[in-house]
């Protein structure tokens, strides 16, 4: 969790790191600025060298060791953060399994880590990157030529294009509970076993960040 003192108390929120351990060059977090929020506007006001509180890691959302199945990472918004770290870890393995990173956002300018993931996609490694926008008619998405629509509708197409065998794929999901439920149902309908779908749900109201 990241925290700052505010009004005589510690204000903190949970975030997943996008960096690999050991973090020799510091920790990396994906944080979205929420205007009027309690924490993120304060984070944006900090100057280099300012001190913040970083709590101990919690949770067990991590890669299973020695899993040779294809890895399908599906995220919305800042839920992408742990998958940046996971995909980087897979790239570093001697015999890395295939990995497909699917990131859904409302507008194309919200595609965090786009350049890094596009570079991984194009460098001949085992990581493929599939961005998607949900609001095709938004002026901010003018000229967008990639996938459009909700992830539960696009994931079956992604699996087909990537030739992923449902029986030999492990899916990791991170995002709001509605997306998790809808994409889980879509994956199961595609033939992915329920035990092969691993999720981390987060949901904090926009005014509270």
């Amino acid at each position: 969790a990241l925290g700052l003192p505010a009004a005589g108390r510690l204000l903190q929120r949970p975030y997943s790191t996008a960096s690999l351990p050991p973090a020799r060059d510091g920790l990396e977090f994906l944080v979205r600025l929420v205007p009027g929020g309690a924490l993120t506007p304060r984070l944006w006001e900090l100057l280099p060298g300012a001190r913040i509180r970083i709590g101990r890691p919690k949770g067990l959302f991590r890669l299973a060791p020695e899993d040779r199945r294809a890895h399908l990472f599906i995220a919305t918004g800042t839920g992408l953060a742990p998958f940046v770290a996971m995909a980087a870890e897979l790239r570093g393995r001697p015999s890395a399994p295939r990995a497909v990173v699917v990131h859904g956002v409302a507008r194309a300018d919200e595609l965090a880590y786009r350049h890094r993931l596009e570079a991984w996609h194009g460098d001949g490694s085992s990581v493929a990157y599939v961005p998607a926008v949900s609001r095709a008619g938004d002026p901010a998405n003018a000229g967008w030529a990639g996938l459009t629509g909700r992830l539960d509708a696009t994931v079956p197409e992604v699996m087909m294009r990537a030739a992923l065998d449902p029986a030999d794929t492990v899916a990791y999901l991170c995002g709001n509970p509605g997306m998790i439920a809808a994409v889980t149902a879509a994956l199961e309908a595609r033939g992915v076993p329920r035990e092969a779908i691993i999720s981390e749900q987060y949901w904090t109201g926009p005014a509270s960040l």
Side-chain angles (χ1 to χ4, degrees):
L2 301 183
L4 287 173
R9 65 187 181 91
L10 179 64
L11 179 65
Q12 58 183 352
R13 296 289 184 269
Y15 288 97
S16 297
T17 63
S19 49
L20 280 173
R24 299 184 180 90
D25 299 321
L27 295 172
E28 186 173 333
F29 297 91
L30 175 56
V31 181
R32 175 176 174 266
L33 173 62
V34 179
L39 176 63
T40 56
R42 288 180 167 87
L43 291 176
W44 254 249
E45 293 171 356
L46 297 179
L47 298 176
R51 296 173 67 88
I52 65 172
R53 183 185 186 280
I54 300 179
R56 292 182 178 180
K58 297 180 180 179
L60 296 173
F61 194 58
R62 62 185 67 176
L63 292 172
E66 307 300 328
D67 192 339
R68 299 301 307 160
R69 292 174 294 181
H71 286 57
L72 178 59
F73 300 117
I74 303 169
T76 49
T78 57
L80 177 70
F83 299 149
V84 174
M86 290 181 183
E89 180 179 338
L90 290 178
R91 291 179 81 246
R93 292 182 180 179
S95 300
R98 293 180 61 202
V100 179
V101 180
V102 183
H103 188 204
V105 294
R107 292 173 292 273
D109 61 5
E110 298 171 345
L111 287 168
Y113 293 100
R114 181 177 180 179
H115 297 303
R116 184 185 304 184
L117 292 166
E118 285 179 339
W120 290 353
H121 182 98
D123 68 2
S125 70
S126 59
V127 176
Y129 170 54
V130 183
V133 300
S134 61
R135 301 177 184 174
D138 192 314
N141 292 326
W144 176 256
L147 286 179
T148 60
R150 290 162 48 99
L151 290 189
D152 54 304
T154 58
V155 161
E157 180 180 352
V158 170
M159 293 189 67
M160 182 178 64
R161 288 186 182 184
L164 294 178
D165 178 359
D168 194 32
T169 297
V170 58
Y172 289 81
L173 283 57
C174 188
N176 68 73
M179 182 279 283
I180 297 289
V183 171
T184 295
L187 290 170
E188 290 182 314
R190 185 72 183 173
V192 178
R194 182 63 186 84
E195 59 272 18
I197 303 173
I198 304 165
S199 64
E200 178 177 73
Q201 300 188 30
Y202 71 89
W203 188 251
T204 306
S208 64
L209 294 175

